[in-house]
Amino acid sequence: GEGLDFVYVGPGSYTTPGTDGAKRQIRIERGFWMGVTEVPQRQWKLLTGSAPSRFVGNAERPVERVSWNDAMEACRQLSARFGATVRLPSEAEWTYASLAGSKGPWCFGDDPAQLEKFAWFDDNTSDSTAPVGLKRPNAWGLFDMHGNVYEWCADAYSPEGETAAGSPRVAADPQATRALRRGDIAGSAEDES
């Protein structure tokens, strides 16, 4: 009854700038399943029983004000309920899925004028989130990969970015800063790239 939809993302690679400005190739060795949209508030409430979001009034808005630990606990509960491993994507998996084969900084290439067709950000929102799935999906059928709300990844944050093998950078310290990806409604077009 949760109505969770996923898309299979096959293995592959993408290129990203390194901290020294040189291009790095990131390889995703194994395919994975990715949620088609950000988790709507109604699904979060069905899964966890909680309603933490600030922006209410439409249960199709993405859940926000969720900690990394909250997201991990929701994954644990889903795994137990469905008998399959449900987890957050690594930062590399998230970026790979977001770009959907694009060589530019966005899923649609490198023209910032196109961003409004794919994302909710400061130029086209009124300081609140928008219901999920209203903008165009990327080439792999994933919605809202740019803008609307930040999304948690499994990794601990690192200024070096994604690991070259695409696997999560796991931190033993439970208080470690965690990786977030792709901006929110207050971000500019530059923030979303």
Side-chain angles (χ1 to χ4, degrees):
E2 285 84 2
L4 298 170
D5 293 320
F6 293 86
V7 167
Y8 181 73
V9 177
S13 64
Y14 66 97
T15 303
T16 187
T19 54
D20 61 357
K23 297 282 187 182
R24 291 187 315 140
Q25 186 172 46
I26 308 296
R27 177 103 186 116
I28 305 299
E29 299 289 337
R30 295 178 51 169
F32 58 96
W33 292 88
M34 187 82 165
V36 170
T37 67
E38 297 160 325
V39 177
Q41 293 173 23
R42 72 173 167 75
Q43 286 180 334
W44 184 264
K45 189 163 186 176
L46 279 170
L47 295 170
T48 69
S50 68
S53 296
R54 173 180 163 214
F55 300 110
V56 295
N58 184 328
E60 292 305 310
R61 286 180 171 168
V63 67
E64 21 89 18
R65 293 177 44 176
V66 171
S67 73
W68 184 84
N69 288 327
D70 293 338
M72 292 296 287
E73 176 58 20
C75 288
R76 188 194 66 71
Q77 289 178 19
L78 278 171
S79 294
R81 184 177 299 171
F82 297 113
T85 301
V86 177
R87 62 176 176 83
L88 296 175
S90 72
E91 189 174 12
E93 288 171 335
W94 193 98
T95 302
Y96 175 64
S98 172
L99 292 173
S102 170
K103 302 299 182 204
W106 298 291
C107 68
F108 49 83
D110 58 9
D111 179 5
Q114 299 297 311
L115 185 60
E116 189 163 327
K117 296 175 183 174
F118 293 85
W120 296 106
F121 61 110
D122 69 349
D123 288 356
N124 64 1
T125 63
S126 57
D127 294 327
S128 69
T129 59
V132 302
L134 295 181
K135 294 290 185 175
R136 290 183 185 173
N138 70 16
W140 295 346
L142 300 168
F143 292 85
D144 302 312
M145 296 300 284
H146 307 294
N148 219 8
V149 295
Y150 283 106
E151 298 172 23
W152 287 115
C153 296
D155 304 53
Y157 170 77
S158 170
E160 286 84 39
E162 303 93 326
T163 60
S167 57
R169 185 180 292 105
V170 179
D173 178 2
Q175 301 304 313
T177 302
R178 301 298 172 171
L180 286 168
R181 294 302 288 163
R182 286 294 185 183
D184 67 350
I185 56 168
S188 65
E190 293 78 28
D191 296 333
E192 300 302 323
S193 65

